[in-house]
Amino acid sequence: MSRFFFYWQYALRNLWRNRRWSAFAIFSVAAGVATVVALRSLGLAIEDALTSNVRASNHGDITLLRGSSIIFGTIDSPEDAEVFSPSQLTFLRDWVAQRGGTMAEYISTGKQVSAVDAAGAGTQTVGRLQLITTFFIDPATYPPTQDIRASDPSNVPLGELFQGTEDEVVVSENFAEAQGIEVGDQVRISGTDMPFVVRGIVPTQAEAGLRDIFSAFFGFVYLDRSQAESLSVNPLPNRISIALPDGTTSEEILAASREIQYVADRTITVPRLIEQNQVIADLTGRFVVIMGLGAMLIGGVGIINTMLVMVRRRTEEIAALKTFGLKGRQVAMLFMAEALLLGFVGSLLGGVLGTLMSALTNAYGETFIQQPLTWRLYPEALLFGLVLGLVVTGVFGVLPVLTAVRIRPAIILRPNEPHIPAVGVLQGLGAIIFVVVSLGIIAGQILGPFPDRVPGPRRFSDLLTTTFASPTLVGIIGVAATLAILGLLVGLLWLIVWLVGKLPSFGWVDLRLALRNLSTRRTRTATTLLALSAGMFALSSITFVGAGIREILQITISSTFGGNILIFPLLPPQIAQPLIEGRLESLEGVEYRTLFTIYDGRVAEIDGRTTAEIAQAAAAAAASATTQPQDTGRGLSSGQPPPPTGRLPRQNVYVNLSMRYTDNPNYVGGEVVAGRALTLEDTGQPVALVQLTEELQPLGIQVGSTLMLEVDRQVYTFTVVGLLSEDSPLSSNIAFGDIIVPDATLPGANFDTQLNVVQASDEALNDVLVGIASLPLVFPLDITFVDGILSRFIEQFSALPILVGILSLGAAAVIMANTVALATLERRRQIGILKAIGLKGRRVLRVMLLENLVVTLLGGVIGIGLSALGVGIMRQLADFREFVHIPDEAIPVALALVAAAVVIGALATFLSANVAIRERVLNVLRYE
């Protein structure tokens, strides 16, 4: 027992004696533990949010739904809407009454809504129309469970907000914020010219969440169900929420749902929701903690670096201890005690910091699950971080301990040669295996069990099942692969640091000293560079890729469709098209119009040959090529057909034809790889533009080919004037069709569908949208709506990676400070000599500042450069000319990250080197 106390007392005294540098090691551990605790707290907060009060968020124990739309309900016409029939409603009302429950019948659909502002005497302006979820409810019965209470006017129940007039609406907070709406303002709803008065604003979470992402993104409104018909909506409900009596068990709810589920397309029950949300919360919790282990590894690297420096500086002390009789295992215990003390103190500090940081992580978690999260203290997260910090510190302390054990007592006789023996191959391999196994067990426990069965061939499936059934084995394999990749990256960065050290200094002495010092401890500098560049890459790549995708889609959608408004009528085209054309004629600001009319057809002949003849000839050529002798290098024998390439043509080729009318003289709509595009002069002419799809390409269609197309049992002949690339933006089925022909070239053929596209001027865009939306069952869609959806999806699903990137970058800043502190400690004698020969302290500090700014800027350039390279590759695959390009809207982020790199380097230098620089020269030289 006395020996045990000796180990801890001796370790504690050594850490206190070197407290200045021990503090940075403690902060390295604290940074990693704080990240893990914050992310674990986030996972638990998400679990609480998803599994608590599910009955209220579902508006009952059972919800029945009609219609296939999951995003925002049905937008079908009243005649075609999928709704509950009167007989089904009668049955459900009787069924609920027999069980003593309550029921709410309502309609969920999609409508375009915008704010109306007074712009002067007798005039109004309308904000941008936004497609949002619209709920037609009975205020007296909705919802059947816990009341929805407004945020403005505060705490007023939803049912009391409606006053019985025809022109009232209640809106969600997120929609009100986006449109700048307040209580008493007016909004315009598609399908009518009548403005609606906003009676109240309710919290977004009343309807939004994982079950209704669309409402979470764009918002929703409540309308009285009596207004459904006036807005061209079927008054019969497509949603029914049922609340059974209090105390009903989960088994009883499930049994009850099975009795009535046949009347609905989908049935949602509280027990099933809890199970699903529990799985989502569990997977999310595992995901965020696994991502946070990167910061924990950074803290472990800080422990290794600190203890290795301590071992180097205390070689004489270790040799003296061995001379006095301590065994190698006792020296190992001394240094392991130091590592564990560092881990314990760092874990305690990290637990406190992580708890405080959990308020920040909750904000990102709310963005991810689109629900509010409640902050509270989670003892489980604190205990998890404390144990993990101690274990990881102990694991990473093995290598310095092995180095200390190998120091020989004979060094005490040669104090001027403090050589540190290298760790043996077997010892090093054993230490690596120990680290991999230990961290793999930890990762496996976090990952948890995998599915019991894996689809595939029996032997392969059995192998995967055996492997994945053991999360520990998966964790070990994952850690081994991760460390191997990290080792490779450190090696590459080691080479970069070596190359940077060889750069010319252009006669600048300070730069020469900084570059030389930079390459003195290349491995440590490379690990610091890896931590910085990883954080920079995580943050920049998410921003760059998101902005790049949005930019590409904006350009491709606009160029593909030839306008900025898409019009979707829910009425039959024969009825809708005259209404649309009449309204467009009356609206100012409409610059160009394009109409796509889509037909189903079949390729009958190509240059006088049927597709069956072409397919038979290709098959014969392929068979002949396989029986001919191989080419010996002197070319094919005379008359031998070349071997076929790609897929063989089909005997019957069915295509989509798009007859395009446009008055836009500059509209091309796709990348023409051969020939020319269609022009206004081609109207009525039998010419065609062909997209080289997988079905059409083997037919050998060329510019000038003659196509005979069978459409609606009629045959039409066209001459091919241009070819579109198979990789043209967007799918051909959306607007173009496989073959595009000019207007008035398919007389008498019945079409499948029509799509109107309008190019409106920027200043008249809102008025045009509102004018079209006032038509019943006609939905104009601003193409920036697609950008809005994409932006919100990127914002949601990148929230957690951004959070982890921020936390990892913070951990990288700490390890940067630790690296500077250790470099200062190792170079105290060098600093003393420089000051002794006349260098001022501030110049020495400037050299170290320059050295660390090079490291941080290099880390920023590597991280941001890799992100820009990824965007360049993405743009190249999307057929964009520019290769490496940072999207314009992402440039401020890039500049901010560069500035952050500079700040990290400067702060790390001032905090860790400034104190040592101010030490007196005699003190440094005397004790060094």
Side-chain angles (χ1 to χ4, degrees):
M1 183 63 68
S2 60
R3 184 177 300 176
F4 176 80
F5 282 113
F6 166 73
Y7 294 147
W8 292 104
Q9 184 181 14
Y10 189 87
L12 186 60
R13 186 173 66 247
N14 284 330
L15 292 179
W16 179 254
R17 184 175 59 186
N18 298 287
R19 57 187 177 276
R20 182 183 302 167
W21 290 273
S22 299
F24 287 101
I26 290 173
F27 276 109
S28 296
V29 177
V33 172
T35 299
V36 171
V37 170
L39 294 178
R40 180 58 178 162
S41 298
L42 172 61
L44 295 173
I46 290 175
E47 181 178 352
D48 288 345
L50 294 180
T51 57
S52 63
N53 208 22
V54 176
R55 187 170 185 258
S57 64
N58 190 46
H59 301 320
D61 299 296
I62 304 172
T63 298
L64 304 176
L65 303 92
R66 293 300 307 270
S68 57
S69 176
I70 299 175
I71 297 179
F72 51 86
T74 177
I75 54 174
D76 297 329
S77 62
E79 294 79 10
D80 300 328
E82 299 182 49
V83 297
F84 292 97
S85 66
S87 60
Q88 290 173 332
L89 293 174
T90 301
F91 163 73
L92 289 173
R93 290 165 188 161
D94 294 339
W95 184 90
V96 172
Q98 291 173 4
R99 284 156 180 77
T102 56
M103 183 175 82
E105 306 167 13
Y106 56 103
I107 304 168
S108 173
T109 185
K111 283 290 183 180
Q112 291 178 301
V113 185
S114 63
V116 177
D117 295 324
T123 62
Q124 289 182 333
T125 61
V126 181
R128 183 66 55 89
L129 281 173
Q130 185 166 304
L131 183 61
I132 64 175
T133 309
T134 305
F135 296 97
F136 291 86
I137 65 172
D138 180 355
T141 62
Y142 187 86
T145 54
Q146 180 179 338
D147 276 340
I148 296 174
R149 294 187 173 270
S151 56
D152 185 15
S154 179
N155 208 35
V156 176
L158 175 62
E160 297 180 9
L161 295 175
F162 289 89
Q163 302 174 8
T165 61
E166 296 182 353
D167 61 345
E168 52 190 3
V169 64
V170 176
V171 304
S172 62
E173 283 182 343
N174 55 346
F175 178 68
E177 292 174 1
Q179 296 271 355
I181 295 173
E182 297 179 354
V183 175
D185 290 347
Q186 292 182 333
V187 298
R188 182 71 59 82
I189 300 175
S190 60
T192 180
D193 292 327
M194 179 179 69
F196 287 76
V197 179
V198 176
R199 299 297 188 193
I201 300 174
V202 297
T204 304
Q205 62 267 24
E207 299 292 344
L210 289 178
R211 62 186 176 86
D212 193 347
I213 296 294
F214 198 87
S215 294
F217 284 166
F218 300 101
F220 58 90
V221 298
Y222 292 117
L223 291 165
D224 195 301
R225 189 173 151 194
S226 61
Q227 301 301 315
E229 284 190 285
S230 64
L231 291 171
S232 303
V233 175
N234 193 316
L236 292 175
N238 59 9
R239 302 289 186 270
I240 294 178
S241 293
I242 300 172
L244 297 175
D246 293 339
T248 305
T249 64
S250 298
E251 292 76 12
E252 292 172 339
I253 294 174
L254 292 175
S257 69
R258 286 190 288 268
E259 295 178 9
I260 57 175
Q261 63 184 4
Y262 70 92
V263 302
D265 295 324
R266 287 192 301 130
T267 303
I268 301 175
T269 62
V270 167
R272 293 285 182 251
L273 273 179
I274 292 176
E275 291 179 5
Q276 296 169 8
N277 290 351
Q278 185 66 54
V279 171
I280 294 173
D282 182 54
L283 293 177
T284 303
R286 296 185 196 182
F287 171 72
V288 296
V289 173
I290 286 294
M291 293 182 70
L293 286 181
M296 194 70 251
L297 294 179
I298 293 174
V301 171
I303 290 291
I304 291 179
N305 290 338
T306 301
M307 294 194 64
L308 283 177
V309 172
M310 294 298 183
V311 169
R312 291 190 187 97
R313 291 183 54 81
R314 291 161 58 186
T315 53
E316 295 180 21
E317 176 187 345
I318 297 170
L321 290 173
K322 287 191 171 184
T323 302
F324 295 153
L326 264 67
K327 303 297 184 182
R329 63 177 180 275
Q330 294 172 315
V331 174
M333 289 298 297
L334 287 174
F335 279 88
M336 184 56 70
E338 290 188 19
L340 291 177
L341 280 174
L342 289 173
F344 179 72
V345 178
S347 298
L348 287 178
L349 179 60
V352 175
L353 295 176
T355 302
L356 298 176
M357 289 166 53
S358 60
L360 170 67
T361 60
N362 279 6
Y364 285 89
E366 290 175 351
T367 301
F368 178 71
I369 68 170
Q370 298 294 312
Q371 286 184 228
L373 297 178
T374 302
W375 182 92
R376 71 178 181 87
L377 180 65
Y378 289 97
E380 177 186 343
L382 289 173
L383 181 61
F384 181 82
L386 179 62
V387 173
L388 186 62
L390 284 173
V391 172
V392 171
T393 302
V395 169
F396 278 93
V398 170
L399 185 59
V401 166
L402 291 178
T403 303
V405 168
R406 290 183 61 85
I407 294 177
R408 310 301 300 171
I411 290 180
I412 196 68
L413 303 176
R414 300 188 299 273
N416 293 328
E417 300 178 15
H419 175 68
I420 300 179
V423 176
V425 176
L426 293 179
Q427 285 183 317
L429 182 60
I432 293 175
I433 293 175
F434 174 73
V435 170
V436 170
V437 172
S438 301
L439 296 180
I441 293 173
I442 296 173
Q445 293 302 312
I446 296 174
L447 285 173
F450 278 75
D452 294 332
R453 291 184 297 176
V454 179
R458 182 169 182 79
R459 291 184 179 179
F460 182 68
S461 176
D462 291 343
L463 175 62
L464 288 180
T465 300
T466 303
T467 302
F468 289 117
S470 173
T472 300
L473 182 58
V474 174
I476 292 174
I477 294 174
V479 169
T482 301
L483 290 180
I485 295 173
L486 291 178
L488 178 62
L489 293 176
V490 169
L492 293 175
L493 293 175
W494 186 96
L495 180 61
I496 292 176
V497 172
W498 178 80
L499 291 174
V500 171
K502 301 296 181 181
L503 292 176
S505 59
F506 306 103
W508 188 8
V509 177
D510 293 353
L511 180 59
R512 179 71 269 162
L513 289 173
L515 294 177
R516 181 170 298 176
N517 292 333
L518 183 68
S519 58
T520 301
R521 300 291 181 186
R522 285 190 287 271
T523 302
R524 187 191 304 157
T525 304
T527 55
T528 305
L529 199 57
L530 176 63
L532 285 169
S533 57
M536 293 289 179
F537 174 77
L539 295 176
S540 59
S541 60
I542 294 169
T543 305
F544 292 0
V545 172
I549 291 175
R550 291 175 55 199
E551 184 179 70
I552 290 172
L553 280 181
Q554 284 180 0
I555 295 174
T556 54
I557 291 175
S558 179
S559 62
T560 297
F561 290 105
N564 53 10
I565 299 176
L566 308 181
I567 303 176
F568 298 94
L570 301 181
L571 295 170
Q574 294 81 0
I575 300 176
Q577 195 59 36
L579 293 176
I580 294 173
E581 292 179 355
R583 182 55 54 89
L584 292 178
E585 292 291 341
S586 64
L587 293 175
E588 296 183 1
V590 176
E591 298 178 341
Y592 303 112
R593 295 164 51 192
T594 301
L595 174 64
F596 296 95
T597 306
I598 311 300
Y599 299 81
D600 292 328
R602 182 181 68 87
V603 179
E605 292 185 5
I606 301 175
D607 294 327
R609 303 170 64 196
T610 66
T611 54
E613 293 173 346
I614 296 174
Q616 292 171 1
S624 175
T626 57
T627 58
Q628 295 294 332
Q630 297 293 322
D631 184 16
T632 59
R634 295 188 297 271
L636 296 172
S637 59
S638 176
Q640 179 180 341
T645 59
R647 59 186 296 176
L648 294 175
R650 297 179 179 178
Q651 293 193 3
N652 289 298
V653 179
Y654 296 93
V655 293
N656 289 323
L657 283 85
S658 175
M659 186 172 69
R660 188 179 72 191
Y661 161 79
T662 182
D663 57 4
N664 187 347
N666 300 317
Y667 177 46
V668 176
E671 181 183 0
V672 179
V673 296
R676 65 174 178 84
L678 298 180
T679 64
L680 297 179
E681 288 74 19
D682 290 324
T683 301
Q685 300 299 317
V687 295
L689 196 61
V690 178
Q691 185 173 0
L692 297 178
T693 62
E694 291 184 355
E695 288 75 19
L696 293 176
Q697 191 172 13
L699 297 176
I701 299 175
Q702 304 290 333
V703 175
S705 295
T706 301
L707 299 182
M708 292 186 66
L709 304 177
E710 182 182 344
V711 182
D712 194 24
R713 298 182 181 181
Q714 302 182 58
V715 177
Y716 301 89
T717 302
F718 294 91
T719 301
V720 178
V721 296
L723 299 177
L724 284 174
S725 170
E726 182 183 5
D727 299 324
S728 292
L730 299 181
S731 168
S732 62
N733 292 329
I734 294 179
F736 293 127
D738 305 311
I739 299 175
I740 309 171
V741 298
D743 187 36
T745 54
L746 295 171
N750 293 317
F751 58 86
D752 183 55
T753 186
Q754 287 184 327
L755 175 66
N756 287 270
V757 182
V758 173
Q759 175 66 42
S761 61
D762 293 339
E763 58 274 10
L765 182 58
N766 283 349
D767 293 334
V768 173
L769 285 168
V770 173
I772 299 172
S774 63
L775 293 173
L777 297 175
V778 175
F779 287 83
L781 182 64
D782 183 1
I783 63 169
T784 59
F785 177 76
V786 178
D787 176 67
I789 293 179
L790 183 63
S791 299
R792 286 167 169 83
F793 268 107
I794 291 173
E795 180 183 0
Q796 178 184 6
F797 292 106
S798 65
L800 293 184
I802 287 177
L803 171 63
V804 174
I806 292 174
L807 297 178
S808 297
L809 190 60
V814 174
I815 196 175
M816 178 73 188
N818 184 52
T819 300
V820 175
L822 296 178
T824 306
L825 177 61
E826 288 181 318
R827 304 207 303 256
R828 289 184 71 200
R829 184 175 181 83
Q830 174 190 348
I831 293 172
I833 294 173
L834 289 174
K835 294 180 72 174
I837 62 177
L839 263 69
K840 301 294 183 181
R842 58 178 176 270
R843 186 173 181 185
V844 177
L845 182 62
R846 185 171 62 195
V847 172
M848 300 190 70
L849 181 62
L850 185 60
E851 171 188 342
N852 294 299
L853 287 179
V854 170
V855 174
T856 50
L857 285 175
L858 188 59
V861 168
I862 292 174
I864 297 173
L866 289 175
S867 300
L869 180 63
V871 173
I873 294 174
M874 180 180 66
R875 293 172 64 87
Q876 190 74 7
L877 293 176
D879 294 332
F880 275 70
R881 297 288 190 283
E882 302 91 346
F883 184 68
V884 178
H885 173 71
I886 298 177
D888 294 340
E889 64 179 89
I891 290 178
V893 176
L895 296 177
L897 289 176
V898 172
V902 173
V903 171
I904 288 173
L907 286 178
T909 304
F910 282 113
L911 290 176
S912 54
N914 193 39
V915 177
I917 295 299
R918 290 184 297 177
E919 274 193 314
R920 298 178 61 185
V921 176
L922 292 179
N923 289 340
V924 174
L925 298 179
R926 182 184 304 155
Y927 295 107
E928 289 293 323

